[in-house]
Amino acid sequence: MADVLPLVEARLRTTLGEPDARAAVTFLGTDRVEVLRFRDRDQDGELVRYATLGMSAQPMADPTAVLADPVKGPRAELLISVRAGLADTDKVLRPLAILAASPQVEGVIVAPGASLDVGEPLWPGAPFTSVLVAEPGGLVEDLELDEPLDPVRFLPLLPMTPNEAAWKRVHGAQALQERWLTNGTDLRDPARRSVPLD
């Protein structure tokens, strides 16, 4: 059985370039999770991308299963992209590692459309304590693994304000994403305000 994490890191490097920083977080009773930082540019300036490395080492287990399957099951890593220089976003390291460890700690399956809440600002002064898990494949393609392993999916996280998170619980992820799109919301702005929800 191939070690998954070197393959995952190779995919991240091929797609995002060389990381300019990395840090590791270990929680009691869980595997180590690393967070890699990548710098990138788009038409509006510099972006910082943070990617987890370690969540995909084990498949996510169905919380209702009596025994976790050590081979079969969905695998994922998490990505978050923000504009550089507008906030101390490097502090997202710990909340991101907490979210990446949640399948091991809480037995949850992280999937597109889900809300994940860390219960504290994602970074100092951030108006966000939770994220919406978006569809994979846009930034980093799925990493196919040898059978019988499921592919590793790279799931983008979109920061949500508490109002947006509450609105999403009622109306659903698709409706919130449409609201963001209609309003031209810059989801990479680390200090953005909540989208109008009335």
Side-chain angles (χ1 to χ4, degrees):
M1 199 68 73
D3 187 0
V4 172
L5 296 185
L7 302 174
V8 170
E9 183 169 354
R11 173 57 57 90
L12 288 169
R13 286 171 180 266
T14 302
T15 308
L16 303 176
E18 285 299 307
D20 73 337
R22 64 193 305 150
V25 181
T26 306
F27 302 102
L28 192 64
T30 68
D31 294 334
R32 184 171 111 141
V33 174
E34 285 191 275
V35 178
L36 281 56
R37 185 179 71 191
F38 300 87
R39 296 203 176 267
D40 194 8
R41 294 196 73 77
D42 71 359
Q43 65 273 14
D44 298 321
E46 190 177 27
L47 295 174
V48 185
R49 301 190 194 280
Y50 302 91
T52 62
L53 179 63
M55 182 178 173
S56 62
Q58 298 177 33
M60 292 182 271
D62 181 344
T64 62
V66 179
L67 283 174
D69 189 320
V71 177
K72 296 282 294 164
R75 293 175 189 261
E77 295 291 353
L78 307 176
L79 297 161
I80 192 165
S81 301
V82 290
R83 300 220 171 277
L86 302 176
D88 186 9
T89 56
D90 281 352
K91 296 288 196 303
V92 78
L93 164 84
R94 187 167 175 78
L96 200 51
I98 288 169
L99 296 178
S102 63
Q104 284 186 62
V105 175
E106 298 169 30
V108 296
I109 292 181
V110 177
S115 301
L116 304 175
D117 197 317
V118 292
E120 62 185 41
L122 293 177
W123 49 82
F128 321 106
T129 59
S130 62
V131 293
L132 174 65
V133 183
E135 290 293 332
L139 182 62
V140 183
E141 283 184 36
D142 292 357
L143 174 64
E144 297 294 333
L145 300 173
D146 294 337
E147 291 288 341
L149 302 182
D150 287 28
V152 176
R153 304 169 86 199
F154 297 88
L155 301 171
L157 302 180
L158 309 175
M160 291 188 293
T161 66
N163 284 349
E164 290 169 341
W167 196 86
K168 182 255 174 191
R169 279 194 292 277
V170 175
H171 299 279
Q174 185 70 40
L176 178 58
Q177 289 180 298
E178 286 169 9
R179 185 62 61 108
W180 281 335
L181 198 58
T182 304
N183 285 273
T185 306
D186 181 2
L187 296 173
R188 295 169 175 168
D189 179 352
R192 73 172 180 83
R193 297 182 183 281
S194 182
V195 72
L197 297 169
D198 45 350

